[in-house]
Amino acid sequence: DLAHEVCDRNGWELVKTPIDWDAKNMELNSGAIDCIWNGFTLNGREDDYTWTPAYINNTQVFAVNKNSGIKKAADLAGKNVLVQADSSALAALQDEENTDIKALADSFGSLTQVPDYNTAFMDLEAGAAEAVAMDVGVAKYQIESRGGGYITLDETISSEQYAVGFKKGNEKLRDQVQKTLDE
């Protein structure tokens, strides 16, 4: 809604473009897209893009089938856990400095990367995996859009902040977007 309003106020056409998350830098740097607005983590990437200020705090969680018997993260030992390629959840689970989360990830039967969360939930639904590590907002959306049947565990994997990211050096577009958001 915010992106739509920013575009309307500036006389721009909003084009929502799904991208391969692994190719986000190429998409942005080539000009195929002008910015990344949806769930783009600022933390750890501050110098890689031109950013708006953070607009939301986010956490990564585990989503599981509500009838799976999995109640806490430790119950995932020996289980197949899915995660989106090049995601914040993957980075957190592979973080050597966070020994507790790394030990948890090492206890999984497998940590399998998938291209997107729709695929992950189809695999979860089919029983090909027992959990999906993902952003809490996306988890809530996926669960609601499937009519329930899934829960997120109370324990979080990590937390971060979202912002709108632009090609490095594109302060002009960032400033116009931010000015409109401020209005």
Side-chain angles (χ1 to χ4, degrees), residues 16-99:
K16 299 176 185 177
T17 306
I19 60 170
D20 179 347
W21 200 243
D22 284 339
K24 65 185 170 296
N25 294 338
M26 181 189 68
E27 296 279 349
L28 198 56
N29 291 327
S30 72
I33 59 174
D34 295 307
C35 68
I36 300 175
W37 197 307
N38 183 28
F40 198 24
T41 304
L42 166 71
N43 312 89
R45 297 178 171 139
E46 293 88 348
D47 298 330
D48 299 336
Y49 304 90
T50 296
W51 296 97
T52 63
Y55 63 86
I56 196 167
N57 292 321
N58 183 51
T59 58
Q60 283 71 49
V61 297
F62 293 105
V64 299
N65 185 308
K66 73 177 182 180
N67 297 321
S68 67
I70 297 170
K71 303 295 180 201
K72 58 188 185 298
D75 295 338
L76 296 172
K79 307 286 193 230
N80 184 20
V81 177
L82 303 176
V83 64
Q84 181 173 291
D86 197 32
S87 66
S88 296
L90 177 62
L93 291 167
Q94 294 178 333
D95 184 356
E96 298 288 340
E97 294 180 21
N98 188 335
T99 55

Side-chain angles (χ1 to χ4, degrees), residues 13 87 112 115 121:
E13 178 187 0
S87 66
T112 305
F121 263 84

